[in-house]
Amino acid sequence: MKKLNYEVLENSGYDGYILKEAPEKVMQFGEGNFLRAFVDYWFDLANEKAGWNGKCCLIQPIAQGLSEMIDEQEGLYTLYLRGSENGQKIDDKRVISSVSRCLNPYEKAGYEEMMKVAASDELEIIVSNTTEAGIQYDPSCKKEDCPPSSFPAKLTQVLYHRYKSGKKGIIMLACELIDNNGKELLKCVNQYIEQWKLEDGFKKYVNEDCTFCGSLVDRIVPGRIRDAKEIAELEEKHGYVDSLLDVGEVFGVWVIEGEEKLNDILPFKKAGLSDKVFVVPDMSPYKKRKVRILNGAHTGFVLGAYLAGKNIVRDCMHDEVMKGFMNKMLYDEVIPTLPLDKDDLLKFASAVSDRFNNPFVNHELMSISLNSTSKWKARNMPSFLEYVREQGKLPTCLTMSLAAYIAFYSNDIQALTDTGLVCRRPAGNEYTVSDDRWILEFYYSHREASEEELVHEVLTNENMWEQDLTKIEGLEKAVVEDLIKIRREGAKAAYESCL
């Protein structure tokens, strides 16, 4: 069977939207599964629904990458968006044609082509997702490196070449998962301008003519299919081999931080995608929404759910007690503390249930449990503290979730090993808690403590919470009672008592 390209696709009888020729309007640093299932997908929809007529030229961010594979398929790949929407199973296929090619700047020809794209009249937007480690200033990068190792240094070179060519400024959309990603990237570029002693005119160009936007990306992308039997079945169905086949969940939101007039410059509003991809002056409320509702739901219920015998998130959504506990926590305790439109929050929370019920993704509770101390502090504690401040009482489910966290880290402790803290589940099997070493040592050293002693030591540990939580009226007593209930009656019964 032949490998996917435009001719093979045409012969396969595919009748979906395809755009063969268009100018390269986007330079994209990153060619991995996430960007191809997210950013390139939205540009593909903009081509179809708004006649945007643009292509994305991908740049391989590190020396090893996918450029040869992408070019062999002429930029084409199959994307499956899978999941659950309003309780209905979704399995949508789309061939993405918004990618023109992928350049490898670690080869001389690829580097020169990158600079050619940088100086083109058609270029409007640069996008990046170079992982959390990508936006970092590395002083060892030099102006004459071809290419420099760090992404911000490569970007500085690209923008300098564009500036010297007399071309207009670009819109920069940073998608890395760090706080203030756009601002941090601009800061790194300014550091290279200083280090390389580049002229004031270029500094003005970068800071005034170019627009650096932070952004918040939200879509789970499992990526490639690993089941050989399923791959063979899909190839038979498609009529071609696709080495770049990608899989993402149905849900997707891209919040871009910048002046709202960008909504009229970027193609997404015109494409009717305003509820999925939009520009706001401040994305922090949306980040808060994601962290407190989506991530907070995970950390808030999975530790107790695991002790109750569940292994994957989807199974919890089919258990009335687990789902009821999560929903009560979200709708009664988290959402009332958030500074966004209530309808928007309710819609987002409803989508969370669908996302957790994804029939295609086996999201293991143990993988979510990694580093739960810092996760509870970042995801659940702010909702907890704001609820107490606003309501003048303890939130039932969030209080129970704190007890469930303590129970998970202390359930029948067996040993402390190099890989983590070995505990035993009520069902009898062992599991390994993973967290910072000092936290695991803390729980191991308190393995003989009574419920009262353990809760007191955890809540007063300011290294964990940056405050003494026993100062919150009634909390210590409530957490002790909840922990005793989890240990004596089981986590499911304890969750049920909250409903």
Side-chain angles (χ1 to χ4, degrees):
M1 204 176 286
K2 291 183 175 172
K3 191 158 273 197
L4 175 63
N5 61 28
Y6 281 99
E7 188 186 341
V8 169
L9 184 66
E10 195 178 332
N11 294 337
S12 76
Y14 179 72
D15 60 358
Y17 173 82
I18 288 293
L19 175 67
K20 192 169 184 184
E21 302 291 340
E24 291 175 328
K25 295 183 179 181
V26 179
M27 180 186 281
Q28 176 178 300
F29 284 89
E31 79 307 40
N33 290 325
F34 177 78
L35 281 174
R36 290 187 297 106
F38 190 76
V39 168
D40 302 324
Y41 166 77
W42 297 122
F43 283 119
D44 201 57
L45 287 185
N47 282 333
E48 180 185 12
K49 298 180 184 302
W52 186 58
N53 195 41
K55 291 265 187 178
C56 305
C57 177
L58 313 191
I59 309 293
Q60 189 174 297
I62 56 174
Q64 283 74 45
L66 302 175
S67 58
E68 284 180 23
M69 213 182 275
I70 288 168
D71 290 347
E72 194 183 357
Q73 296 191 184
E74 298 180 313
L76 292 174
Y77 58 94
T78 314
L79 173 65
Y80 275 92
L81 293 184
R82 295 174 157 182
S84 175
E85 210 166 43
N86 303 320
Q88 299 298 308
K89 186 175 174 181
I90 306 280
D91 189 7
D92 283 344
K93 170 197 170 185
R94 180 182 182 95
V95 175
I96 302 295
S97 60
S98 59
V99 172
S100 56
R101 55 184 171 156
C102 184
L103 303 175
N104 180 1
Y106 293 85
E107 294 171 351
K108 188 171 184 287
Y111 182 83
E112 287 169 357
E113 274 301 307
M114 177 176 79
M115 288 307 182
K116 213 179 277 182
V117 177
S120 74
D121 290 321
E122 287 84 14
L123 185 66
E124 298 173 3
I125 298 163
I126 298 180
V127 183
S128 70
N129 190 359
T130 53
T131 78
E132 290 89 320
I135 299 183
Q136 283 187 357
Y137 169 66
D138 176 358
S140 70
C141 294
K142 297 182 179 65
K143 178 176 174 262
E144 51 280 358
D145 291 346
C146 293
S149 57
S150 88
F151 159 58
K154 287 189 193 80
L155 179 63
T156 308
Q157 285 187 342
V158 160
L159 293 176
Y160 190 60
H161 185 68
R162 185 166 179 81
Y163 164 75
K164 295 296 263 186
S165 306
K167 299 297 159 65
K168 66 180 189 334
I170 52 89
I171 297 168
M172 177 71 225
L173 304 175
C175 300
E176 286 81 1
L177 297 177
I178 62 166
D179 285 340
N180 301 309
N181 41 21
K183 292 186 179 87
E184 289 298 317
L185 181 55
L186 177 58
K187 188 169 126 190
C188 292
V189 170
N190 278 315
Q191 285 175 294
Y192 286 117
I193 292 172
E194 293 296 319
Q195 182 190 326
W196 297 346
K197 297 182 169 51
L198 301 175
E199 59 264 40
D200 288 345
F202 175 57
K203 189 169 188 175
K204 187 172 182 290
Y205 174 81
V206 166
N207 290 278
E208 295 178 20
D209 296 0
C210 295
T211 305
F212 277 70
C213 300
S215 77
L216 173 72
V217 296
D218 192 1
R219 168 169 280 162
I220 296 165
V221 177
R224 64 193 179 86
I225 294 169
R226 286 168 172 77
D227 182 353
K229 184 167 172 278
E230 187 183 357
I231 290 169
E233 285 168 2
L234 287 174
E235 286 175 356
E236 195 58 44
K237 190 171 114 184
H238 297 158
Y240 56 75
V241 173
D242 184 356
S243 309
L244 296 162
L245 188 140
D246 205 354
V247 180
E249 67 167 336
V250 176
F251 182 92
V253 169
W254 191 5
V255 185
I256 298 163
E257 188 172 71
E259 291 185 25
E260 295 201 36
K261 66 180 183 189
L262 281 175
N263 277 313
D264 298 317
I265 299 169
L266 296 169
F268 309 115
K269 182 182 173 185
K270 195 181 168 193
L273 299 170
S274 296
D275 59 332
K276 309 280 190 196
V277 187
F278 51 90
V279 184
V280 291
D282 177 15
M283 69 180 180
S284 56
Y286 294 92
K287 179 160 191 190
K288 204 177 270 190
R289 178 182 78 171
K290 178 178 183 263
V291 170
R292 303 260 191 108
I293 295 179
L294 176 75
N295 306 124
H298 267 156
T299 302
F301 84 87
V302 300
L303 303 177
Y306 184 78
L307 293 178
K310 303 294 182 193
N311 292 309
I312 63 173
V313 173
R314 183 177 57 251
D315 290 346
C316 300
M317 295 301 101
H318 297 176
D319 183 305
E320 289 308 313
V321 171
M322 297 299 156
K323 189 176 179 182
F325 177 83
M326 181 190 85
N327 282 338
K328 184 175 179 188
M329 178 175 67
L330 291 183
Y331 289 100
D332 293 1
E333 300 175 1
V334 176
I335 286 174
T337 69
L338 287 169
L340 270 173
D341 177 72
K342 286 294 175 271
D343 285 345
D344 173 77
L345 293 169
L346 293 171
K347 213 182 289 179
F348 188 83
S350 169
V352 164
S353 289
D354 273 333
R355 297 173 77 179
F356 288 0
N357 195 28
N358 191 330
F360 298 97
V361 177
N362 294 331
H363 201 167
E364 293 185 4
L365 303 188
M366 280 305 293
S367 71
I368 295 168
S369 78
L370 301 177
N371 304 312
S372 281
T373 310
S374 59
K375 282 178 179 173
W376 200 91
K377 180 186 163 197
R379 299 169 170 190
N380 302 91
M381 197 164 91
S383 299
F384 175 88
L385 294 174
E386 280 180 37
Y387 184 94
V388 171
R389 200 158 41 241
E390 289 169 16
Q391 305 290 331
K393 60 181 182 179
L394 297 174
T396 308
C397 297
L398 284 166
T399 302
M400 178 63 78
S401 81
L402 179 55
Y405 151 77
I406 296 171
F408 180 83
Y409 274 58
S410 63
N411 208 76
D412 197 4
I413 294 172
Q414 302 295 303
L416 179 62
T417 68
D418 290 344
T419 53
L421 185 66
V422 181
C423 298
R424 186 175 280 150
R425 223 173 176 181
N429 58 308
E430 291 182 350
Y431 63 94
T432 302
V433 179
S434 299
D435 210 320
D436 290 339
R437 191 71 189 174
W438 66 268
I439 292 170
L440 303 179
E441 287 170 355
F442 166 88
Y443 278 100
Y444 188 70
S445 69
H446 289 86
R447 65 191 181 282
E448 305 292 343
S450 67
E451 284 89 358
E452 290 81 1
E453 289 165 344
L454 179 59
V455 168
H456 182 78
E457 291 300 319
V458 171
L459 297 191
T460 54
N461 192 317
E462 296 192 23
N463 286 337
M464 288 182 184
W465 318 115
E466 289 182 19
Q467 58 182 284
D468 179 352
L469 293 177
T470 61
K471 290 180 177 165
I472 298 168
E473 192 183 342
L475 179 62
E476 186 171 359
K477 181 173 179 284
V479 174
V480 169
E481 287 169 3
D482 285 349
L483 179 60
I484 289 171
K485 193 178 279 285
I486 291 169
R487 287 182 168 181
R488 307 286 192 280
E489 299 172 35
K492 185 166 181 174
Y495 277 10
E496 196 165 11
S497 73
C498 297
L499 303 180

